[in-house]
Amino acid sequence: MHSDHSPSILKQCIAILRSCATSIHKLKQIHAFSIKHGVPLYNPDMGKHMLFTLISLSAPMSYAHKIFNQLHNPNIFTWNTMIRGYAESENPKPAMEVHRNMRLFAIEPDTHTYPFLLKAIAKLISVKEGEEVHSIATKNGFGSLVFVQNGLVHMYAVCGRAESAHKLFEEMSERNLVTWNSLINGFALNGRPNETLTLYRAMIDEQVEPDGFTLGQNPKTFAATEKPSMACNGTGCQSGCYKDGTGEEEKLLTEKNLTCHDSGDGNHSRNQTTCLKCKANEATIFTGGEGGSRFCADCFRGNLYGKFKLAVTSHAMITPTDKVLVAFSGGPSSRVALQFVSEMQLKSQKIFDATAIRDRSLPVFGVGVAFIDESEIHPTTSTDFNKSIQDIKQIVSNLPLPKKELHLVPIRSIYSTKTSDGSETLKNLINTVNDATGKEDLLSHLRMLSLQKIAIENGYTKLVLGSCTSRIACHVLTATVKGQGYSLAADIQYADARWEVPVVLPLRDCLIQELNILCNLDSLKIVEVFNDSCAGINGLVSSFVKLLQEENPSRECTIVRTAGKLTPFPFNKIPDTNTNDVDLASQRRHKKFNLKPIESLPPESFCPICNSPMSDSQSPGSFSNSQTTPQLFGAACCSSCQYQILPEEVSSMEEFYSLLPESIISRAKNRNQKWIRERIQDCLILDGEDEV
């Protein structure tokens, strides 16, 4: 490695970075190339461009943070890039810490600092920090800039301070479409349709052309709105439609709707800022999605836990005799799932302890936690990894009693314990897949196999995943793009019993925004262990859904609700047990989804790799004697796995097959035997029949 570098090499590295860094994988290659040629990351020019490209690709912020820490005297552009990255991530809270550190180092902000920072605050629904930043921006002379003012209007509106947002809006000397959209969106989110409609009409009056984002905030409110030339304009009309002419009606409506908080006893203002649930405390949290509501902190927490509890009880996810394994990745979804399951267990334990011994007919369900170590696939420094493991252990140890068992298992454990080179075998298996999407999908399937292996070996009866509405919405679109429409219904239900240990999704009705708010509200620690970035189809869809959600907070719910109309498979229910509660829940679910009993439906065929159900058209045709075992295996896979994961060349396919875990091979063999048996069913002699 060279100890120094020439300006030409630096320019070459930056040029390659600008033109070729189209994915995280390519970015890492360019990173290695720059180091090999003596261009260290602490070089301000190289580090600046590397960091900017990372954020633009929506790379994990842990990777960006490591690069940022290596920079010598980063400039304001680099600080802003870090704030922007956290603001656009699923965990925007560190953006505040970056801003505080920037001030400690006496770095002067610029016009881009505060819009990014306010975006992060809006995601956190933290009005106190927003007011603090508003004060700092004003003192630094940025309070009158339209970009900063737009960010402040958006922040106050999302945080439930619609009046503050409107006051700032009225004081602005310059307004653009973003300004109007921010304020209209704020009143729509706060459940104030009259003000929303009034602002929309005022926007039209000022000849500001609305866009799709404007109309998407509250389509029901805007549906009845006509352009001035098409209004009825009748004196006796009571519909509230637009009145042309003097404009007195519009003026009166505006004064009534937007300034009523200053008149009388202020009842209207209090009604619009009080919690919708308790109707007593001031609302500090405003949720998006369908039926976006305003809550105080306690009611928000209770409402989110209520969604979780309703899903668990309605679908018989957890019963007193269960032993539940919670899959923990360190992110906000799995963190909330772990917290809620622990609280549910604690409540059950208290009821059990308070019950007389002679009346204790049912035990308290057990809880375990599983973390899959993927360091073989996502390399990280030993220091960072050990710190993350210690954080995970501390999280589990701090959970309410009873004590939870923590399973820290490497993903290579899917191979037999007799195999000493499980790590190398796993790496070679992943490397045989050329497609970036295929690599991610295969790793996801192996992760599920690891969780199933832990559950089976330790006697767990249910596997809890933290999949929320946001993640399911992404899966709906990616599955559609990959041609997995037939099996889509199987993956988005509350329960999935196609696995040996049934999988349940108690957070299916919760948005990632809500989970982030709860983690921030209750100081639930989140751990970023691996740089698990998405590339290919998965990354594109994830970015697309994020943009849709920013345009309209109900988009993710709409996607999941639409996909929910698909008929579930018979295995999308928890198998019946002798527990009365489970029987009642199963009956309710059968009635809701009109499910037929499993015995009355034909058995499903499953892909040996992803375990997705396969239609008859995907079933393998007749096999010739010349076909090899790898060819038979490939024919047994679903079309998506054949296209995304399986190698095309025969030699590569043979290598791929030789590296597969035994559990996948066994699944394929059982499938072929089942297919043959179905074809010769009519020729089999049944019990009680005489041989002819």
Side-chain angles (χ1 to χ4, degrees):
M1 182 182 295
H2 303 288
S3 59
D4 54 10
H5 63 276
S6 64
S8 61
I9 295 179
L10 174 61
K11 291 181 179 179
Q12 182 182 4
C13 289
I14 294 176
I16 295 173
L17 193 62
R18 287 176 172 176
S19 60
C20 301
T22 56
S23 67
I24 305 299
H25 178 68
K26 290 182 179 179
L27 182 66
K28 290 182 177 180
Q29 290 181 322
I30 297 171
H31 186 176
F33 175 84
S34 65
I35 295 175
K36 181 179 179 181
H37 289 80
V39 182
L41 279 180
Y42 57 75
N43 178 282
D45 290 329
M46 186 62 189
K48 176 180 70 175
H49 286 90
M50 176 70 74
L51 201 59
F52 180 79
T53 307
L54 265 173
I55 302 303
S56 300
L57 292 173
S58 300
M61 287 306 298
S62 56
Y63 187 12
H65 195 78
K66 291 177 183 176
I67 294 178
F68 180 76
N69 286 339
Q70 298 180 45
L71 299 180
H72 291 177
N73 301 321
N75 58 18
I76 184 58
F77 176 85
T78 309
W79 285 95
N80 286 344
T81 302
M82 286 298 293
I83 294 175
R84 171 198 161 198
Y86 280 116
E88 295 176 351
S89 70
E90 292 185 352
N91 180 27
K93 189 174 182 179
M96 304 303 299
E97 185 66 26
V98 174
H99 178 246
R100 280 190 285 268
N101 290 336
M102 188 181 88
R103 296 179 65 196
L104 288 175
F105 283 98
I107 304 297
E108 293 294 330
D110 64 6
T111 56
H112 299 288
T113 305
Y114 296 109
F116 293 143
L117 191 61
L118 290 167
K119 183 177 182 180
I121 294 171
K123 276 189 173 183
L124 293 169
I125 320 292
S126 179
V127 70
K128 290 183 179 180
E129 291 181 322
E131 290 173 339
E132 179 184 348
V133 170
H134 187 179
S135 175
I136 295 172
T138 302
K139 289 179 181 178
N140 290 335
F142 295 100
S144 59
L145 296 179
V146 65
F147 301 105
V148 177
Q149 289 179 323
N150 284 344
L152 288 168
V153 170
H154 173 70
M155 182 274 297
Y156 281 123
V158 171
C159 292
R161 298 294 179 86
E163 283 75 19
S164 299
H166 183 257
K167 181 180 179 182
L168 184 62
F169 174 85
E170 291 293 334
E171 294 173 352
M172 292 178 65
S173 59
E174 179 185 354
R175 302 169 187 163
N176 55 24
L177 180 60
V178 175
T179 315
W180 285 97
N181 282 346
S182 297
L183 191 61
I184 290 173
N185 181 34
F187 279 102
L189 285 176
N190 287 283
R192 298 169 70 169
N194 292 336
E195 292 89 334
T196 303
L197 186 56
T198 298
L199 286 167
Y200 176 70
R201 289 168 173 167
M203 178 182 178
I204 298 297
D205 282 347
E206 293 197 12
Q207 297 182 346
V208 179
E209 188 69 24
D211 60 1
F213 182 81
T214 313
L215 301 174
Q217 300 314 302
N218 202 333
K220 293 182 179 179
T221 302
F222 297 148
T225 304
E226 303 287 353
K227 292 184 179 180
S229 60
M230 298 184 66
C232 68
N233 215 19
T235 57
C237 177
Q238 301 296 322
S239 64
C241 61
Y242 185 91
K243 299 288 173 53
D244 203 353
T246 63
E248 287 300 318
E249 296 89 345
E250 186 69 22
K251 181 179 179 181
L252 289 173
L253 185 59
T254 302
E255 292 177 354
K256 177 181 178 182
N257 288 336
L258 296 181
T259 65
C260 61
H261 57 278
D262 293 327
S263 62
D265 58 0
N267 287 334
H268 181 82
S269 176
R270 287 197 295 270
N271 289 338
Q272 297 299 337
T273 59
T274 55
C275 173
L276 285 177
K277 190 172 183 181
C278 66
K279 303 186 186 306
N281 299 325
E282 181 182 2
T284 58
I285 298 171
F286 298 80
T287 61
E290 294 180 328
S293 302
R294 56 183 186 271
F295 299 101
C296 63
D298 291 338
C299 289
F300 171 78
R301 188 183 294 105
N303 181 70
L304 198 60
Y305 182 80
K307 289 184 184 180
F308 163 84
K309 188 68 179 295
L310 179 63
V312 170
T313 55
S314 298
H315 303 276
M317 294 183 182
I318 301 176
T319 63
T321 57
D322 277 328
K323 187 179 179 184
V324 178
L325 179 66
V326 180
F328 184 67
S329 65
S333 297
S334 61
R335 181 67 185 89
V336 173
L338 178 59
Q339 188 69 26
F340 281 174
V341 170
S342 300
E343 291 179 11
M344 185 177 177
Q345 185 194 34
L346 177 62
K347 292 179 181 178
S348 299
Q349 185 66 52
K350 289 181 177 179
I351 294 173
F352 180 83
D353 294 339
T355 305
I357 297 178
R358 64 177 181 276
D359 296 328
R360 294 177 180 175
S361 57
L362 294 175
V364 177
F365 66 91
V367 177
V369 184
F371 173 79
I372 305 300
D373 174 9
E374 300 176 13
S375 55
E376 289 93 350
I377 308 301
H378 304 294
T380 183
T381 63
S382 58
T383 302
D384 291 340
F385 179 74
N386 291 335
K387 182 180 183 303
S388 299
I389 295 300
Q390 290 301 319
D391 289 341
I392 293 173
K393 289 181 178 179
Q394 183 179 9
I395 289 172
V396 176
S397 63
N398 290 339
L399 291 171
L401 295 174
K403 186 178 180 180
K404 282 77 176 169
E405 183 177 1
L406 175 61
H407 305 274
L408 300 172
V409 180
I411 194 169
R412 65 174 181 270
S413 65
I414 54 176
Y415 292 96
S416 173
T417 54
K418 298 179 181 179
T419 305
S420 59
D421 59 345
S423 178
E424 288 300 319
T425 304
L426 178 62
K427 291 180 182 178
N428 293 334
L429 174 64
I430 299 296
N431 290 334
T432 57
V433 182
N434 297 322
D435 184 74
T437 304
K439 288 179 184 288
E440 293 174 2
D441 292 348
L442 178 59
L443 183 60
S444 176
H445 306 326
L446 297 178
R447 189 182 302 124
M448 175 58 79
L449 288 179
S450 299
L451 291 170
Q452 286 288 319
K453 188 172 185 289
I454 296 171
I456 294 170
E457 292 179 349
N458 293 276
Y460 290 98
T461 57
K462 300 286 174 58
L463 175 60
V464 175
L465 300 185
S467 299
C468 60
T469 300
S470 308
R471 183 167 183 175
I472 294 173
C474 292
H475 179 74
V476 169
L477 297 186
T478 55
T480 304
V481 172
K482 296 173 187 176
Q484 298 173 334
Y486 177 80
S487 62
L488 176 58
D491 303 327
I492 62 173
Q493 308 301 327
Y494 293 91
D496 186 354
R498 81 184 105 159
W499 303 94
E500 187 169 348
V501 177
V503 176
V504 294
L505 310 179
L507 298 182
R508 183 183 181 274
D509 298 326
C510 304
L511 292 167
I512 188 64
Q513 180 198 22
E514 296 175 320
L515 303 179
N516 277 321
I517 292 173
L518 183 68
C519 290
N520 182 55
L521 192 65
D522 289 354
S523 299
L524 300 180
K525 189 174 181 60
I526 297 174
V527 183
E528 287 191 22
V529 186
F530 304 115
N531 295 326
D532 189 13
S533 60
C534 292
I537 295 174
N538 301 325
L540 288 173
V541 170
S542 178
S543 300
F544 175 67
V545 172
K546 186 181 295 184
L547 289 174
L548 288 180
Q549 186 70 3
E550 289 179 356
E551 290 180 359
N552 189 333
S554 66
R555 291 287 171 83
E556 291 175 344
C557 295
T558 302
I559 293 172
V560 175
R561 188 187 70 246
T562 303
K565 296 179 181 180
L566 297 171
T567 303
F569 286 83
F571 53 74
N572 283 130
K573 72 180 187 70
I574 299 299
D576 295 336
T577 66
N578 294 327
T579 306
N580 293 332
D581 292 340
V582 178
D583 290 337
L584 291 174
S586 297
Q587 292 171 12
R588 289 194 297 268
R589 184 164 173 78
H590 275 243
K591 183 177 180 180
K592 179 178 180 181
F593 293 108
N594 194 26
L595 287 177
K596 300 177 182 179
I598 292 180
E599 295 78 14
S600 65
L601 292 171
E604 297 289 343
S605 297
F606 297 95
C607 172
I609 295 181
C610 65
N611 205 29
S612 296
M614 299 171 62
S615 62
D616 293 337
S617 61
Q618 292 180 304
S619 298
S622 58
F623 301 129
S624 63
N625 294 331
S626 61
Q627 285 182 300
T628 62
T629 301
Q631 288 176 319
L632 295 176
F633 176 84
C637 296
C638 67
S639 57
S640 178
C641 288
Q642 289 178 5
Y643 181 76
Q644 300 285 352
I645 297 178
L646 298 184
E648 295 181 3
E649 298 181 1
V650 176
S651 59
S652 299
M653 181 62 198
E654 291 177 352
E655 180 186 5
F656 176 85
Y657 180 79
S658 66
L659 296 171
L660 286 171
E662 183 59 33
S663 56
I664 294 181
I665 301 295
S666 300
R667 189 187 298 167
K669 290 179 179 178
N670 294 336
R671 185 185 187 280
N672 288 334
Q673 292 174 0
K674 175 183 175 182
W675 179 85
I676 294 172
R677 184 175 181 84
E678 289 176 353
R679 294 300 182 273
I680 64 173
Q681 186 67 38
D682 294 338
C683 303
L684 294 177
I685 298 176
L686 303 178
D687 294 339
E689 292 184 346
D690 294 330
E691 182 176 357
V692 180

